[in-house]
Amino acid sequence: MDRKFKVIRGGLDSPLDSNKQFISAYITDTRLMGVTGLYIHWGIEAEDLSSDFHQFFYFDAEEYGFETYKSIVGNDIEEITVIESALLGGLGGQKVKITEKEACYLVQEYAKANVDLTLPLPKGKEEYNFILEKDITLAIKEKHELMKKMCDPIHSEFQVINYFLMRCFGRDYYAAKYLTNGRTPVEIYSDYPISTLCKNTIDISDEESNSYLCESLVESNGKYHIVISEISIDEFLVSSFKRRSDFKVSAAEAAMMLSRPEFITVYDLQTDNDEFIDNSLAEITTNAMMTIHENGRLFLAFNKNNSHVDKAVFRLNEDVYGMFYISDFGQMIIASYNVKGILALEMDLRKSPLKEYMDMTSKYEFKEPILYEFIQSDFDDFEDFLEFIRE
């Protein structure tokens, strides 16, 4: 989606050199997923100018620290919404109000993380440097209260186990400790590099001691391992964490473990007005992210929350409930991993402004995902692609 954002120039004539009055801030409660989004709204007062200044920050607690920064001067709601959706839409969390002190503390802490990780700060430092220069410290209790605001409320043992293992394998030990009784070791897999928890299967080991066996598929730099752990839970906190066994698996074996069905519906589009198509999809996908590919555009529609963590079998990629692929050759292909999802996507399209400009041509159920293969292929037409792979 091509949007023109206002460019804020530095120098004495910049409104950002003026006094800034804090108005509001929020953090997404997605800290236990390892990433969070921060928004701060300031009022700017200058001699001949009164305006608003909106800042967006994207933080990664594992490898990338203070990763992305965006801003807007003024109150163009459409532009603000576009940035908010692009930067924070895929996080799947709720917006939780925080104070000016808490917001500035977070910016400073993640900026320090960049120093520790030898990473450069995002472009636009001249705009957020005034935050870095503030003298801010939080007491231990204040840090805990802020962490509580940043975290999805825990209400099940599956949820705490999956979040805990995610944080341990990501070497995000601060968040891992937050999920324990304070006496449980969290670094028992420190010999592993930072890894992604792709899948986790939880089985009850001992009901009396509330103990669970976990089979985790983890990935780092394209290499996969199965790791077996035993975890005990007491009042939604980890009270025991033991390493049982681990072994390597091939990428092919990992792909089989992660495989699941994919439901696809294909439409012919009767319009090539990209702005109209993108705006129509924006109306029905409030939490979406668009990526550009060689032969089209892919919209990933994310769930509104991270409820996929609250399952006995957790899969990382279940935060996506559907995909819309708009090819440059007049096709729209929608996909979901279950029947309920694909029917919901079809219903959303029937209610959208696009309904007058699309004809359904085919529906498919595949034993494993295939849409990404088509997107990365040289084929223009999905039906031609299917004919080729069937040969």
Side-chain angles (χ1 to χ4, degrees), residues 306-345:
N306 287 308
S307 59
H308 65 299
V309 180
D310 189 11
K311 291 181 179 179
V313 180
F314 161 78
R315 296 171 189 266
L316 181 63
N317 56 7
E318 282 188 348
D319 59 341
V320 174
Y321 83 83
M323 293 167 280
F324 299 80
Y325 180 66
I326 317 300
S327 82
D328 294 338
F329 305 96
Q331 277 187 330
M332 175 190 285
I333 302 160
I334 63 172
S336 186
Y337 299 121
N338 56 65
V339 173
K340 185 179 176 183
I342 198 70
L343 292 176
L345 297 181

Side-chain angles (χ1 to χ4, degrees), residues 168-199:
C168 287
F169 286 116
R171 290 198 179 183
D172 179 10
Y173 297 132
Y174 180 82
K177 286 175 184 173
Y178 173 78
L179 295 169
T180 74
N181 60 6
R183 299 180 297 279
T184 306
V186 296
E187 300 183 21
I188 65 173
Y189 292 114
S190 59
D191 54 322
Y192 275 79
I194 289 179
S195 303
T196 300
L197 180 66
C198 302
K199 182 181 179 182

